[in-house]
Amino acid sequence: EKLGKILKKYGRVDQLKDKKYTLFSLINYKKGQQNLKIEISKRSIGSSYEIKNYLGIPILAMVKSDIFANKLTALISRKKPANRDIFDTWFMLDNGWEANWKLVEEKTKMNKKAFLDKCINLLENWPLESILEGMGELIDNKTKDWVKKNLIKDTIFLLKVKLQA
């Protein structure tokens, strides 16, 4: 209820749900722009946070290394794996983000090498025919072509580089 009141100041609230682990909201803040999805976790997952400014609003946001650690663990722990996890993992690796490996190890009970081996194995067996599922509407045609041809192999390569580091 409080979140809905706050969000109404910044745009039209299209969705507001109290889900099992998150408060989920979708707001339309500017006509002609993509909606803004805001998810607030209700769980304490051992991550660190910092204040960021977004649209003039100070927001407590997870630090990059913990975002990356949580994305990596999502890659191997979802009931139904999500292509967006691969894309996000590739993006973070390609942009030189460092993961909080201590957090990865705490969440997965695996050391860095075992974890990365598991990620690589998962991707080597990924069904390529459905690689755009769940993210195709978010990327342009040039990026779609790149995703179909390169996303899996480039992500595997970057994970192997990380394994050697």
Side-chain angles (χ1 to χ4, degrees), residues 29-45:
Y29 66 94
K30 189 174 181 182
K31 188 174 179 132
Q33 295 294 315
Q34 288 188 329
N35 290 338
L36 178 63
K37 179 174 103 172
I38 300 170
E39 290 185 83
I40 300 171
S41 177
K42 298 189 291 186
R43 296 184 279 184
S44 174
I45 54 176

Side-chain angles (χ1 to χ4, degrees), residues 69-119:
N70 285 299
K71 182 53 69 172
L72 284 167
T73 59
L75 182 64
I76 66 163
S77 62
R78 291 189 194 273
K79 289 177 186 169
K80 183 181 185 300
N83 292 317
R84 68 181 180 273
D85 292 334
I86 303 170
F87 190 90
D88 293 346
T89 297
W90 165 81
F91 175 86
M92 293 172 194
L93 286 165
D94 193 56
N95 284 281
W97 288 30
E98 265 310 312
N100 178 345
W101 291 105
K102 183 179 175 199
L103 185 59
V104 171
E105 289 177 14
E106 287 172 7
K107 290 179 81 170
T108 64
K109 309 295 185 235
M110 285 186 257
N111 65 34
K112 181 179 177 180
K113 181 186 180 331
F115 178 82
L116 289 170
D117 283 339
K118 185 169 184 170
C119 289

